[in-house]
Amino acid sequence: MKNLLLGTVGMVGTLLSGCLGLAPAMAAEATGEPVVIGVLEDRSSSGAFYSQESSKALKAFVAAVNRGELLYAAEQFGGRPGIMGRPIKLLFEDDQSNPNLSAAKARRLVEQGARMLIFISGSAATIQGKVVCTEEKIFCIAPTNVNDKIVQPPNNQFIFTVAPPAELQAETLVNGLKRAGYGKIGFFSESTATSKPLLDSYVKRLTEDGFKAASVEIMEAGARDASPQLLRIAEAKPDVLLDVTAHAPSTVTLYRSYNRLNLELPRWATSSVTAQPQIWAQAGDSIDGLIVVDMIDPTKPSLVAVRDLYLAAVGKDQPFVWLHAAVWDGLMMTKLAVEKANSVDGAAMVAAMEQIADFPMAHGQQGYTVSYKGKHSGAGSKSTNIVVFKGGKPAKLWETYQP
């Protein structure tokens, strides 16, 4: 009778909490031997602008998950905090987005006890670093990288991505540009290891879809004036200027130079711009009117929950971008792979990951879920949208077209 009464009281308390909008009791914290995850980040080079946003989010989200704050995903995990009830411990190495350093840094993390790896620096570095995933047979995930080659052979057996790859973003871009009625494109990029392959992939995809590359211009990373490249693009008379930069200072230089020249070309860009809020602050109103392929819907309930958790940790005045949402989703995928496998063995985690289907994500459109069955990129067409900049930040969804 006593147990029945206690259960009834607990049920009433839960109902009252829901009815009155009170916070439910905090889940138990993770305990026991930590699950060690190695993280490849860029602290000091061309990818540091976006990599450090991802690193900040990962630290905040791991702390929350260790406390049992699983948000909308709690039911998926039976409310267990951490990973298998054990706390997550992060180890970090700076690979400087340098392909020549990434593998060595990844091996160092494994030597220090990492049982799985998260890559949040440049895509080119991840492509080189993933060899360690195969060598050591450990589970790896690159939640924010968008280069399609990461999950292509060789050495792709143990690595997964989360964010929509460049090819999928390009599909959204193609459809948007077609709806806008454009035919000729002026491409602008910079000479970094991350930007060059992205530029090549966008030029290839768009020209295969019937667009004409009116001009392809590459600025040296670190240059303070993009006028020569922009003038050559303007002389080629494209219908639209497409920004394929990844290095924030180069992007800022592009838009400031564009304003100084009083050009009137429509401007589109990839998700690199929405990933790096430093660009918005430094570019100011020179970025207004820019149309960008992005990955988050600010009205989506799961996204709002993740955003509120992040801002509570880092400060409500901080920006929230798609990188943060993709990092949360990558952490959820890692937790799910371990718990479905009931093991931190790499091969078992990979097998478990390859069975994941219809898992709800924070990024993407309303109702967007991922499936990894038969592939190592779970992204689908609903993972992207198109936004317009106003007031120096992404302000609204583009009314003309959404995927």
Side-chain angles (χ1 to χ4, degrees):
M1 185 61 147
K2 181 179 179 182
N3 289 339
L4 178 60
L5 179 60
L6 287 173
T8 304
V9 170
M11 185 180 297
V12 171
T14 300
L15 289 172
L16 284 173
S17 293
C19 292
L20 298 176
L22 301 177
M26 181 66 70
E29 290 199 20
T31 59
E33 182 183 356
V35 174
V36 182
I37 300 178
V39 184
L40 276 297
E41 64 176 345
D42 184 348
R43 299 188 204 123
S44 54
S45 191
S46 61
F49 287 89
Y50 54 84
S51 182
Q52 287 309 293
E53 286 295 324
S54 300
S55 181
K56 187 165 57 174
L58 184 58
K59 292 171 185 174
F61 294 149
V62 163
V65 170
N66 283 342
R67 293 192 301 266
E69 297 179 40
L70 303 174
L71 307 179
Y72 63 91
E75 185 178 346
Q76 302 277 345
F77 299 110
R80 284 202 296 179
I83 288 180
M84 298 190 298
R86 295 158 53 187
I88 302 166
K89 178 183 177 181
L90 299 176
L91 299 177
F92 290 85
E93 285 286 345
D94 177 13
D95 70 2
Q96 301 173 34
S97 292
N98 185 339
N100 296 320
L101 293 178
S102 187
K105 297 286 188 173
R107 291 189 184 97
R108 182 179 299 176
L109 286 167
V110 175
E111 291 168 359
Q112 293 172 346
R115 301 301 303 272
M116 56 205 78
L117 297 176
I118 296 178
F119 291 82
I120 54 172
S121 65
S123 290
T126 300
I127 289 170
Q128 293 301 315
K130 70 177 182 176
V131 65
V132 178
C133 310
T134 303
E135 290 175 351
E136 302 292 336
K137 294 181 171 55
I138 63 171
F139 177 88
C140 297
I141 194 163
T144 58
N145 287 156
V146 300
N147 192 310
D148 309 73
K149 293 181 179 178
I150 290 171
V151 293
Q152 295 172 4
N155 299 309
N156 63 322
Q157 303 96 320
F158 285 82
I159 192 164
F160 296 81
T161 57
V162 174
E167 178 66 22
L168 189 53
Q169 294 185 51
E171 182 178 337
T172 299
L173 183 71
V174 164
N175 292 333
L177 292 173
K178 285 181 177 177
R179 289 292 183 92
Y182 300 136
K184 294 195 301 180
I185 299 174
F187 293 87
F188 181 96
S189 190
E190 96 266 276
S191 59
T192 65
T194 298
S195 295
K196 185 59 170 65
L198 281 179
L199 173 65
D200 292 344
S201 68
Y202 274 100
V203 171
K204 181 175 184 293
R205 173 60 193 272
L206 289 167
T207 52
E208 286 176 349
D209 272 279
F211 293 93
K212 180 180 178 182
S215 179
V216 179
E217 295 293 333
I218 300 175
M219 182 182 74
E220 287 297 318
R224 296 187 177 183
D225 184 16
S227 297
Q229 292 83 7
L230 286 172
L231 287 171
R232 285 194 290 270
I233 289 174
E235 186 177 354
K237 297 186 178 351
D239 298 322
V240 61
L241 169 64
L242 179 61
D243 166 17
V244 197
T245 55
H247 188 204
S250 297
T251 311
V252 172
T253 296
L254 163 62
Y255 296 125
R256 286 179 174 174
S257 298
Y258 177 94
N259 262 24
R260 284 198 301 270
L261 293 171
N262 293 315
L263 297 177
E264 295 184 354
L265 278 173
R267 294 168 298 163
W268 283 54
T270 70
S271 58
S272 176
V273 176
T274 49
Q276 302 180 76
Q278 299 91 336
I279 294 172
W280 318 346
Q282 295 174 33
D285 60 7
S286 70
I287 205 170
D288 284 358
L290 181 70
I291 298 177
V292 185
V293 175
D294 196 28
M295 305 174 200
I296 58 175
D297 177 349
T299 68
K300 184 179 177 181
S302 57
L303 187 280
V304 170
V306 173
R307 181 197 66 199
D308 290 350
L309 177 66
Y310 174 74
L311 295 180
V314 303
K316 295 191 179 299
D317 60 337
Q318 295 298 304
F320 181 84
V321 300
W322 70 263
L323 286 171
H324 305 135
V327 167
W328 168 268
D329 289 333
L331 182 60
M332 292 299 100
M333 291 296 93
T334 303
K335 175 176 168 63
L336 188 61
V338 176
E339 296 189 354
K340 284 178 73 72
N342 196 31
S343 171
V344 293
D345 174 76
M349 288 181 65
V350 167
M353 187 78 167
E354 290 173 343
Q355 295 304 310
I356 291 173
D358 301 323
F359 190 89
M361 305 300 272
H363 79 284
Q365 299 181 25
Q366 301 279 355
Y368 171 60
T369 63
V370 294
S371 173
Y372 285 91
K373 290 193 171 185
K375 54 185 180 178
H376 281 210
S377 169
S381 62
K382 295 296 185 181
S383 61
T384 60
N385 54 26
I386 303 176
V387 298
V388 182
F389 272 75
K390 184 178 180 180
K393 62 182 180 181
K396 63 179 182 178
L397 294 177
W398 192 43
E399 296 177 354
T400 303
Y401 168 75
Q402 294 296 325

